[in-house]
């Protein structure tokens, strides 16, 4: 009987992805560019948070946005309307971005003129958590209407992120979302995560979010000369 050969597809895909992600990270580091990988479920408010962030910070820093979507370029059109350059990655079905897609996106960004790149990942709390894109920081959004139990169902996503944005906080009063229980569950998985409570509709919490992002962009920036 033939020998059975076992090929661990997932491990090999992730190893290849990791190698490319490290190359991207090294290149961006040498240029002093910060990159954020923003992940969340469909409709949680990724594009809204990006737009509100750009409105508050685009006069301070030069941004470029890489938009990931299975189909359409709706989100990159919203970014472009803010006067910020956007690259739309249309995955044609793939439910997450990987490092090779981000590399293709970055090849279309004028990197010499950019301080920070924001990636809007595909709306999904599962697969994107597995893929290093060469970013400096991973952030996720959980919106109040999704419920406070999502950390129990998608623990990897909550474990790998440096920041959690609890968005649509304006819905808190009319929901049964238990903020304290959610925060305790998240902290038991990821004690160092930074948690922000925001509403892209009322503007609540966005200054705190922008302060965190500002610090991260400054950390990646080359030291001032002179
Ligand atoms: N009430 C309220 N609505 C919000 C808030 N943030 C976003 N929305 C609304 O939620 C809907 C989805 O927001 P998007 O920013 O498109 O969400 P997304 O995560 O980018 O969605 P996909 O790209 O489709 O995955 C829009 O109608 C927004 O106006 C918020 O803080 N409060
Ligand atoms: Mg979007």
């Amino acid at each position: 009987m033939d020998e059975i050969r076992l090929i661990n597809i997932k491990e090999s895909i992730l190893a290849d992805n990791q190698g490319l992600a490290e190359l991207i990270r090294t290149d961006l580091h040498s240029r002093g560019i910060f990159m954020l990988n923003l992940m969340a479920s469909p409709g949680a408010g990724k594009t809204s948070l990006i737009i509100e962030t750009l409105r508050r910070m685009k006069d301070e820093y030069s941004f470029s946005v890489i938009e990931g979507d299975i189909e359409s370029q709706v989100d990159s059109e919203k970014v472009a309307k803010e006067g910020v350059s956007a690259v739309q990655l249309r995955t044609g079905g793939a439910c997450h971005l990987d490092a090779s897609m981000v590399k293709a996106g970055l090849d279309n960004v004028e990197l010499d003129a950019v301080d920070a790149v924001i990636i809007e990942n595909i709306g999904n709390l599962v697969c994107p958590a597995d893929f290093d894109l060469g970013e400096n920081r991973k952030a996720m959004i959980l919106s109040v209407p999704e419920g406070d139990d999502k950390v129990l169902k998608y623990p990897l996503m909550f474990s790998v992120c440096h920041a959690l944005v609890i968005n649509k906080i304006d819905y808190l009063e009319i929901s049964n979302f238990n903020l304290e229980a959610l925060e305790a569950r998240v902290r038991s998985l990821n004690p160092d995560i930074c948690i922000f409570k925001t509403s892209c509709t009322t503007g609540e919490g966005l200054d705190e979010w922008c302060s965190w992002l500002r610090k991260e962009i400054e950390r990646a920036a080359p030291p001032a000369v002179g």
Side-chain angles (χ1 to χ4, degrees), residues 40-49 69 75 78 120-123 141 167-171 198-202:
S41 302
K46 296 177 294 298
T47 309
S48 303
L49 184 68
D69 259 308
D75 289 350
K78 289 183 186 163
E120 176 174 344
N121 214 316
I122 311 288
I141 303 175
N167 190 40
K168 306 195 187 182
I169 206 80
D170 47 297
Y171 281 130
T198 65
S199 167
C200 292
T201 305
T202 68

Side-chain angles (χ1 to χ4, degrees), residues 33 49 63 66 99 161 186 189 225:
I33 297 173
L49 184 68
F63 284 94
I66 296 180
C161 283
V186 173
L189 270 181
V225 182

Side-chain angles (χ1 to χ4, degrees), residues 33-34 36 50 53-66 79 83-86 109-110 113-119 209-210 213-214 217:
I33 297 173
F34 170 80
L36 179 74
I50 290 170
T53 302
L54 295 176
R55 287 182 181 161
R56 284 162 177 77
M57 297 179 70
K58 70 181 176 189
D59 292 341
E60 275 172 87
Y61 302 104
S62 170
F63 284 94
S64 185
V65 177
I66 296 180
V79 171
V84 171
S85 73
V109 172
E110 232 185 288
V114 162
D115 302 312
V117 176
I118 301 178
I119 301 168
W209 158 253
C210 288
L213 191 58
R214 191 173 287 113
I217 294 172

Side-chain angles (χ1 to χ4, degrees), residues 93-157:
C95 55
H96 61 271
L97 296 181
D98 64 24
S100 68
M101 298 178 199
V102 169
K103 170 81 174 63
L106 289 170
D107 286 345
N108 286 280
V109 172
E110 232 185 288
L111 290 174
D112 290 343
V114 162
D115 302 312
V117 176
I118 301 178
I119 301 168
E120 176 174 344
N121 214 316
I122 311 288
N124 180 351
L125 286 180
V126 187
C127 328
D130 269 326
F131 285 81
D132 186 350
L133 304 182
E135 71 281 311
N136 299 71
R137 291 288 179 261
K138 292 180 198 286
M140 69 168 292
I141 303 175
L142 176 71
S143 63
V144 167
E146 291 170 73
D148 55 38
D149 59 353
K150 292 302 163 288
V151 60
L152 302 172
K153 298 184 178 188
Y154 307 101
L156 182 62
M157 179 61 83

